[in-house]
Amino acid sequence: MAQPFKLPPLPFAEDALAPVISAQTIGFHYGKHHKTYVDTLNKLVAGTQFEGQSLEAIIKATAGKTDKSGIFNNAAQAWNHTFYWNSLTPKGGGAARGKLAQKIDAAFGSYDKFKSEFADAAVTQFGSGWAWLVADAGTLKVVKTGNAEDAIAKGLTPLLTIDVWEHAYYLDYQNRRPDHVKAVIDKLLNWDFAAENLEKAQSVAMA
Ligand code: MN
C-alpha cells in the first residue's frame, strides 16, 4: 500500500445511518476524528522504518511497544475506523444468514445469545474502546479492546466491530451507551461484510 495513507471514502452517505447515528455524528467522527488519525499517522511515519509499509504491518510491528505507542495508536485507529464504517450499513442488523448464522449458533447457542454477549462487551468496555465479533481458530468469539487496541494486533480475524468511544454516540445519545449499542446491533450491523471477512479468513486458513 502506497503512503501517504489516505482517508478512504465512507461506504454510505453521511446521513444514511440516521436516526440510529446522525449525519452530525458521522460528520465529526469521519471528517474530524478518523481524518486526524490518518493525517497524524502520515506525519509520524515520515522518515521512519515504517515509511512504505502497509497499515496492517505497522499495527503488528508496533503493538505493545511503549516507545512506538504514538504510531500504533494512530495506525490502529486509522484501520479500526475504516473497518467500523464497513461494519455498518443503512438497512443492516437482524440475524445473520447462511454459514455465518450456523457459526453463530455453534459458538453462542443462538443469535439472541450472541446479541446479548456482543452488547454486553460494548456496554461494559470501561472507557474508550471497541467491541468485536472475531473468528479465532475456526470458531467465533466476542472480544473487547481498550482505546486503539484492536483484534488484528491480537492475531484474531475481525468480522464486525462497534466503536464505543464517546465520540461515536455522545451527540446523539449522551451517556446512554446501551441504547446506542442496541440500535446499532438491531439496525446497522453489516452481515454481508462479516460473511466476506469470514470467507477470506477461511480461504487463508486453507491455503
Ligand atoms: Mn471512533
Side-chain angles (χ1 to χ4, degrees), residues 82-93:
T82 300
F83 194 84
Y84 170 63
W85 305 128
N86 283 288
S87 294
L88 308 177
T89 190
K91 292 199 169 70

Side-chain angles (χ1 to χ4, degrees), residues 54-68:
S54 72
L55 209 43
E56 291 84 349
I58 294 172
I59 292 167
K60 286 176 183 167
T62 56
K65 303 207 168 120
T66 48
D67 62 328
K68 299 283 189 295

Side-chain angles (χ1 to χ4, degrees), residues 37-96:
Y37 295 127
V38 174
D39 291 346
T40 305
L41 177 65
N42 283 324
K43 286 182 198 146
L44 291 175
V45 299
T48 72
Q49 66 194 104
F50 301 109
E51 204 169 79
Q53 291 190 12
S54 72
L55 209 43
E56 291 84 349
I58 294 172
I59 292 167
K60 286 176 183 167
T62 56
K65 303 207 168 120
T66 48
D67 62 328
K68 299 283 189 295
S69 62
I71 292 178
F72 173 78
N73 286 337
N74 286 281
Q77 286 294 78
W79 192 95
N80 292 349
H81 281 85
T82 300
F83 194 84
Y84 170 63
W85 305 128
N86 283 288
S87 294
L88 308 177
T89 190
K91 292 199 169 70

Side-chain angles (χ1 to χ4, degrees), residues 29 33-34 37 77 81 84-85 130 163-165 167-168:
H29 198 174
H33 292 275
H34 191 183
Y37 295 127
Q77 286 294 78
H81 281 85
Y84 170 63
W85 305 128
W130 301 84
D163 186 341
V164 296
W165 286 57
H167 65 225

Side-chain angles (χ1 to χ4, degrees), residues 8-18 20-27 29-31 34 80-92 161 184 187-190 193:
L10 271 180
F12 38 72
E14 287 194 2
D15 62 358
L17 306 184
V20 178
I21 303 176
S22 68
Q24 191 192 20
T25 291
I26 300 288
H29 198 174
Y30 170 72
H34 191 183
N80 292 349
H81 281 85
T82 300
F83 194 84
Y84 170 63
W85 305 128
N86 283 288
S87 294
L88 308 177
T89 190
K91 292 199 169 70
T161 194
V184 166
K187 295 179 180 156
L188 300 182
L189 285 186
N190 186 347
F193 179 61

